[in-house]
Amino acid sequence: MDTVVITGADGFIGSHLSAYLADKKIPIIALIQKNSKTRSRISSLRNVTILEWNRGDQAAITSQIPSGSISAFYHLAWSGVSPESRGSVEEQSVNITLSLEALTLAKQIGARRFITLGSTMEYMYAGKPIDKTAIPTPQNAYGAVKLAVRYLCQEAAKEIGIPFIYAVATGVYGPGRVDNNVITYTIKKLLEKERPSLSKLEQRWDYVHIDDLAEALYLIGEKGKDGAFYGIGHGDNQPLSQYIDILHALIDPTVALGIGDIPYSQKELPSSCVDLRPLKEDTGFVPKIPFEVGVRGVIDALKAERNGR
């Protein structure tokens, strides 16, 4: 059975993809940073070979990977993913070199597909479900550099002759996801029986459970087409207020919701929705976990964290 390579395999998305592929008995070469603090996420998985890789380590890595046996190379490593780092041009720009080096490494080891994952932060004000025709409107340095990586790697892939696939995921959620977003904030407030202060929440959003995302990435690695742009989500594309209503009903409907407490910072509302049709047509992907089901695991995890403090 052919092997896959995953950079950032110990990250939230990378570790779930690794676990998904390991369950399918697919051999994995996991490339992680030296002295990684999250290595334990994948250290017990079967069929996983962990190699330490930082920028400039190509020669050392190539010698450890048998050439020609790699079906897919997933580039998920990214520096500066925390919300406080997303506005820093300096922190984000290192990802350009990192991504181009990953692409070169994929070519050197004979990978048959190079797949990298973008963000809806590249298209926050596109005004439509994101597809290959959406006009880029990056929200911050993180989104701008994601765009730069997409186009630079796309051109470099043509130049060196390796199939290139770009995917954009909507809001990814699941137990263990540490992020200061509106979902996490609202859950924590409701668990404390405190009123969450929110905007009117009219912006349209979509959320994809981490297990669905892992399956989508697997299918892209198996069936994705060269040059394709795939949106990965659940397909709900509804106002944020509807997700908050679900949380409210699941946790404590007696607590008042502060929808409208916080004014919008600008007139134009962002959105985070994707067009799933190309992904479904090319790979057969169908999301399986509705938000009201998947978010229960997040609630339970945050409740356990709260009770154990």
Side-chain angles (χ1 to χ4, degrees):
M1 186 178 293
D2 286 337
T3 301
V4 302
V5 175
I6 307 173
T7 72
D10 56 336
F12 180 70
I13 294 174
S15 61
H16 281 80
L17 176 60
S18 296
Y20 183 91
L21 297 176
D23 283 345
K24 290 186 170 292
K25 299 181 171 55
I26 296 172
I28 302 160
I29 295 173
L31 303 184
I32 68 174
Q33 280 192 328
K34 293 175 180 175
N35 303 317
S36 166
K37 295 179 180 178
T38 51
R39 183 187 184 112
S40 60
R41 286 175 171 171
I42 57 171
S43 58
S44 62
L45 295 177
R46 300 182 67 180
N47 301 315
V48 176
T49 301
I50 298 176
L51 302 177
E52 293 182 339
W53 174 72
N54 282 359
R55 285 181 295 157
D57 287 350
Q58 267 83 341
I61 293 297
T62 356
S63 64
Q64 300 179 70
I65 301 177
S67 180
S69 66
I70 308 301
S71 62
F73 190 112
Y74 294 93
H75 178 48
L76 304 179
W78 198 267
S79 178
V81 296
S82 62
E84 57 270 18
S85 299
R86 291 174 188 165
S88 169
V89 173
E90 182 179 358
E91 286 189 66
Q92 295 302 324
S93 61
V94 301
N95 291 294
I96 296 174
T97 303
L98 177 68
S99 301
L100 289 170
E101 288 189 1
L103 180 69
T104 302
L105 176 58
K107 175 63 176 178
Q108 288 172 341
I109 61 178
R112 296 195 290 278
R113 283 186 180 92
F114 181 87
I115 301 150
T116 190
L117 188 62
S119 165
T120 54
M121 286 188 186
E122 303 164 48
Y123 300 94
M124 274 288 161
Y125 303 98
K128 58 175 281 188
I130 298 162
D131 61 11
K132 65 181 180 180
T133 67
I135 297 173
T137 51
Q139 187 182 37
N140 48 30
Y142 175 83
V145 172
K146 282 282 188 182
L147 279 168
V149 164
R150 173 191 169 189
Y151 289 112
L152 286 171
C153 283
Q154 183 174 277
E155 292 307 308
K158 292 177 187 174
E159 189 175 298
I160 65 177
I162 181 172
F164 174 81
I165 299 170
Y166 197 73
V168 167
T170 54
V172 183
Y173 74 99
R177 179 82 190 240
V178 180
D179 201 351
N180 186 26
N181 56 48
V182 67
I183 298 300
T184 304
Y185 164 77
T186 302
I187 292 172
K188 287 182 175 180
K189 281 291 188 180
L190 291 175
L191 289 175
E192 295 286 350
K193 298 188 179 299
E194 295 178 0
R195 172 191 175 104
S197 294
L198 304 158
S199 72
K200 290 183 180 178
L201 302 177
E202 297 164 305
Q203 52 268 56
R204 302 192 75 82
W205 228 258
D206 189 17
Y207 286 97
V208 61
H209 192 275
I210 185 61
D211 292 345
D212 277 341
L213 176 58
E215 181 180 11
L217 289 172
Y218 160 69
L219 290 171
I220 290 170
E222 289 284 304
K223 303 176 182 180
K225 295 181 179 179
D226 182 19
F229 179 107
Y230 294 123
I232 307 174
H234 189 266
D236 295 326
N237 298 354
Q238 60 193 14
L240 264 176
S241 59
Q242 294 190 30
Y243 298 102
I244 300 305
D245 286 342
I246 289 170
L247 298 179
H248 193 218
L250 287 175
I251 300 171
D252 192 340
T254 67
V255 177
L257 290 178
I259 293 178
D261 284 359
I262 300 175
Y264 293 132
S265 58
Q266 56 193 66
K267 291 182 180 179
E268 189 177 12
L269 296 181
S271 65
S272 179
C273 305
V274 297
D275 185 347
L276 285 176
R277 288 175 298 177
L279 180 61
K280 289 181 177 180
E281 289 169 4
D282 288 356
T283 72
F285 171 74
V286 176
K288 297 180 175 63
I289 306 172
F291 182 78
E292 58 268 25
V293 174
V295 81
R296 291 175 187 271
V298 180
I299 294 169
D300 290 343
L302 290 173
K303 189 181 295 184
E305 178 185 297
R306 172 179 173 271
N307 293 339
R309 67 189 178 192

